[in-house]
């Protein structure tokens, strides 16, 4: 096969593909006999035809991925397996001690009934995550949440100021959608109410009109010019009422009054375009009466769940994703297992519900209920480095750092540094050993200090001037912002307590 740059690519088989026949037989056997979930895990390199690699390891053509596939016999067990995977992912990221968010996500092309994303907040992120500090609601901006029970407040035009229009055009160039929203709204910020410019929630618009092509930069111009070329030379031709007829849909934000009339300067380009537009559209104008909040979420906006004005909009990097696929793929692929009756004396582990599902009356075939889950291993490394680093260098969490601590000493204290390393790393029945490294490279002491900050060791132990004067070690922890002087006799206990916070 060829990629977009016309380079030839070869599809690489994996250990899953090589043993696919035996694996499917194993899945069927387990589901037939015991109705237990089958979970298959694989960690491997993956390759993607990424058109624009960027941001180091965050978006590359080659990456390391941990995949997890689950197979269940019924939807209840599939839901239970999905929750167990989510709990495992939560435990994994909690163990890393990184500030992550679990957000409701859009399943996209993968499909399925539900999915969740695991994000780390960073300014370089490409995803927008909306979270509520009051009720802990979190969701990707791509997820469209509509509160139909909300009593929307109708502000007057004087309160909202001017209005603005956003346009979208369908892929077949037959449908133009105009969305009218206020130009400015008041949002609660750090210094009270702040007036900000409104941006249209294009994800919500796309959910209402999925045929829109959002890649068109000038939809109104494109629509008018396209249909003027298609128009008959005979003036005033009436277009047939067919799917190919041009049509315009007008959609208002709930804050815009229905009686709103566009006010344009008579000589403005937009007014001229409108005159050309309505010469084409004629009577084919549809006004959508649906009352929706069409503004993009901003900090301090109202949460649709708890009604508190405590929403926070943040850029984030996706680290992992879980999908509950149901029978999204098993039905098209006709992947089934055989339903057999429970054998006497061999079904003690089954519930009564499972026994009913495997009764003789239900013998036959059933499609798998599947789940698909993944963690971007190489992306985690890049995202954590980007999120936690400061001006001095990297700051690795304890679980990801090459060593938990590094020992730096001037030449006068090199012998003591070796004894300290032995004290920290030796086995002790009362406490676990510290995974420490002694920097004994033939470099200057100042160079070693800077290099330790660049490499991002969680704990830096310094034997320098303070040790010379008072025989105390400087223990620096940049992530906690602490630097304590600790005696050699108490340093192991102090580091053990500190590591629990990292």
């Amino acid at each position: 096969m060829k990629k977009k740059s016309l380079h030839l690519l070869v599809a690489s088989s994996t250990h899953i593909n090589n043993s696919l026949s035996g694996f499917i037989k194993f899945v069927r056997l387990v589901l037939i006999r015991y109705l237990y979930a089958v979970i298959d895990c694989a960690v491997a390199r993956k390759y993607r035809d990424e058109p624009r690699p960027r941001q180091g390891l965050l978006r590359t053509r080659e990456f390391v991925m941990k995949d997890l596939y689950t197979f269940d016999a019924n939807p209840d067990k599939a839901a239970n397996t999905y929750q167990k995977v989510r709990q495992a992912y939560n435990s994994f990221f909690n163990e890393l001690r990184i500030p992550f968010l679990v957000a409701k996500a859009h399943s996209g092309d993968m499909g399925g009934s539900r999915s969740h994303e695991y994000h780390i907040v960073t300014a370089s992120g490409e995803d927008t995550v909306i979270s509520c500090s009051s009720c802990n609601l979190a969701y990707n901006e791509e997820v469209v949440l509509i509160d139909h029970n909300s009593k929307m407040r109708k502000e007057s035009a004087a309160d909202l100021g001017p209005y603005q229009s956003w346009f979208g055009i369908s892929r077949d160039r037959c449908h133009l959608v105009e969305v009218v929203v206020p130009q400015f709204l008041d949002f609660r910020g750090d210094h009270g109410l702040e007036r900000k410019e409104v941006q249209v929630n294009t994800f919500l618009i796309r959910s209402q009109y999925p045929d829109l092509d959002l890649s068109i930069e000038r939809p109104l111009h494109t629509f008018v010019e396209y249909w003027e070329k298609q128009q008959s030379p005979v003036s005033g031709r009436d277009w047939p009422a067919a799917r190919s007829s041009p049509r315009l849909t007008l959609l208002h934000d709930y804050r815009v009054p229905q009686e709103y009339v566009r006010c344009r300067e008579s000589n403005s380009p937009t007014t001229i375009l409108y005159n050309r537009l309505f010469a084409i559209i004629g009577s084919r104008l549809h006004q959508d009466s649906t009352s929706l909040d069409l503004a993009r979420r901003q900090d301090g906006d109202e949460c649709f769940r708890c009604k508190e004005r405590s929403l926070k909009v943040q850029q984030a990097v996706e680290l992992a994703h879980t999908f509950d696929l149901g029978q999204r793929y098993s039905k098209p692929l006709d992947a089934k297992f055989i339903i057999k009756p429970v054998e006497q004396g061999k079904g003690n582990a089954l519930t009564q519900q499972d026994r009913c599902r495997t009764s003789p009356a239900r013998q036959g075939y059933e499609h798998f209920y599947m789940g698909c889950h993944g963690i971007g291993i190489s992306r985690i490394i890049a995202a954590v480095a980007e999120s936690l680093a400061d001006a001095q260098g990297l700051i690795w969490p304890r679980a990801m750092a090459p060593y938990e601590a590094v020992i730096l000493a001037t030449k006068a204290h090199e012998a003591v540094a070796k004894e300290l390393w032995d004290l920290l790393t030796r086995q002790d029945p009362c406490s676990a050993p510290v995974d420490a490294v002694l920097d004994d490279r033939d470099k200057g002491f100042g160079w070693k200090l800077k290099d330790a900050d660049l490499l991002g060791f969680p704990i830096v132990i310094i034997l320098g001037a303070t040790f010379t004067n008072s025989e105390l070690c400087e223990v620096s922890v940049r992530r906690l912002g602490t630097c304590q002087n600790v005696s050699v006799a108490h340093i192991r206990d102090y580091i053990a307590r500190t590591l629990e916070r990292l």
Side-chain angles (χ1 to χ4, degrees), residues 316-332:
V317 173
E318 180 187 344
L319 305 179
H321 208 142
T322 59
F323 295 92
D324 187 358
L325 300 176
Q327 296 177 327
R328 166 71 172 81
Y329 293 96
S330 60
K331 281 189 174 181

Side-chain angles (χ1 to χ4, degrees), residues 342-381:
V342 177
E343 300 178 34
Q344 294 296 328
K346 296 184 179 181
N348 296 331
L350 301 180
T351 64
Q352 183 61 36
Q353 186 180 24
D354 294 332
R355 291 174 185 275
C356 294
R357 285 196 172 94
T358 57
S359 63
R362 281 185 49 89
Q363 291 187 51
Y365 292 90
E366 180 70 33
H367 293 95
F368 298 126
Y369 289 85
M370 300 173 58
C372 176
H373 320 273
I375 296 178
I377 298 175
S378 54
R379 173 172 281 202
I380 288 179
I381 298 173

